[in-house]
Amino acid sequence: MIYLDYSATTPVNKQVLDSFNKVCLDYIGNPNSLHKLGNDSHKLMDAATNQISELLGVKSNEIIFTSGASESNNLAIFGVLNQYTSRGKHIITTKLEHSSILAGMNYLKQNGYTVDYVKVNEDGKIDLDDLKRLVTNETILVSIGEVNSEIGLIQNVNEIGEYLKNFPRCIFHVDGTQAIGKKKVDLTNIDLYSFSGHKIYGLKGIGCLVKKQGIELSPIIHGGKSQTIYRSGTPSL
């Protein structure tokens, strides 16, 4: 069989798997433990975090590790809405999003939020005029995927983010799961950026949410110290 479904998932890279096995065997300490094994693990976690932050052009304390892009998307959406409850109940997204976005929007519509779906042009790009018509001072969140997972549409998320700067109370989330590793990404005008490891030859069960400084999130997983205050659980080193 010839496997071509790389947008769904990629095979793990052998170097990644070798690194994973080495860490599991040689760095057995909880990174949050105070003994030597824990300290060694914490140093390795910091080094990996710094490497990722440098690749993305963001600060290391803006990296939040998750279980995957679906969790990252949910943390972005519900973390913002629960943190900034006084800002409004208006959200903008598209009909092109992953189910981890759209299912959350359906839930929110049933719980008092207004969700508008911005139109797209004939080429599949966001209709910026329609977006400008929809955004108001009550808009708390705009969530738009950078690359569509099924037909490969690429949205100009930085142009969208640049416009949204006119609304400082509105937070811009981008699902970059299908963009990472396939195109150069620029997070300059993006507040929150989600992606997953298994789309880029990594292991399943690991993802990331980039949260820019100045943005606060209410955690959706509570309890215990971790790599960040925004996501509890023993770090998956």
Side-chain angles (χ1 to χ4, degrees):
M1 178 181 289
I2 298 174
Y3 181 74
L4 299 174
D5 196 15
Y6 277 47
S7 288
T9 193
T10 58
V12 65
N13 178 279
K14 185 179 184 302
Q15 288 178 296
V16 173
L17 186 59
D18 289 345
S19 179
F20 175 79
N21 290 333
K22 177 177 176 59
V23 172
C24 287
L25 294 172
D26 296 348
Y27 292 84
I28 61 174
N30 184 329
N32 292 324
S33 295
L34 299 179
H35 48 62
K36 184 180 185 305
L37 291 176
N39 288 333
D40 290 344
S41 295
H42 196 282
K43 290 177 182 177
L44 184 62
M45 182 174 70
D46 285 346
T49 305
N50 290 335
Q51 188 177 37
I52 293 171
S53 67
E54 289 174 6
L55 286 168
L56 296 177
V58 298
K59 299 179 176 65
S60 60
N61 62 1
E62 296 177 330
I63 299 291
I64 302 171
F65 294 116
T66 67
S67 64
S70 290
E71 183 191 332
S72 295
N73 287 336
N74 275 264
L75 176 56
I77 293 169
F78 291 97
V80 164
L81 299 184
N82 292 333
Q83 180 67 31
Y84 300 104
T85 55
S86 63
R87 288 193 178 184
K89 288 196 168 185
H90 180 229
I91 306 166
I92 298 173
T93 187
T94 80
K95 292 285 190 179
L96 302 172
E97 304 307 312
H98 186 265
S99 60
S100 60
I101 300 285
L102 294 178
M105 296 301 167
N106 289 334
Y107 172 84
L108 289 166
K109 284 191 289 185
Q110 297 170 11
N111 287 272
Y113 285 85
T114 300
V115 179
D116 280 320
Y117 299 91
V118 64
K119 296 176 183 178
V120 295
N121 297 317
E122 290 182 354
D123 61 359
K125 296 290 183 69
I126 296 297
D127 184 334
L128 287 175
D129 289 334
D130 189 52
L131 178 66
K132 293 174 182 179
R133 180 184 65 83
L134 291 173
V135 180
T136 72
N137 290 327
E138 298 298 314
T139 305
I140 184 173
L141 179 71
V142 174
S143 180
I144 293 175
E146 185 167 10
V147 177
N148 182 268
S149 63
E150 296 181 7
I151 53 179
L153 290 170
I154 301 173
Q155 303 295 346
N156 192 340
V157 291
N158 258 302
E159 183 179 1
I160 295 169
E162 181 68 32
Y163 174 73
L164 292 176
K165 286 182 178 180
N166 295 308
F167 300 86
R169 290 163 58 89
C170 177
I171 293 172
F172 185 35
H173 166 246
V174 172
D175 181 356
T177 307
Q178 296 292 351
I180 288 283
K182 299 172 184 174
K183 66 182 293 291
K184 182 176 176 60
V185 299
D186 180 359
L187 307 188
T188 302
N189 297 320
I190 297 170
D191 298 314
L192 298 163
Y193 194 83
S194 308
F195 62 95
S196 185
H198 74 97
K199 305 285 188 178
I200 48 175
Y201 305 94
L203 294 162
K204 296 174 179 65
I206 185 72
C208 181
L209 176 65
V210 176
K211 181 201 70 67
K212 292 292 187 64
Q213 282 187 334
I215 304 295
E216 291 298 321
L217 297 175
S218 178
I220 58 175
I221 298 177
H222 299 267
K225 180 184 177 184
S226 188
Q227 176 253 348
T228 170
I229 62 172
Y230 302 102
R231 203 272 189 180
S232 296
T234 301
S236 180
L237 188 59

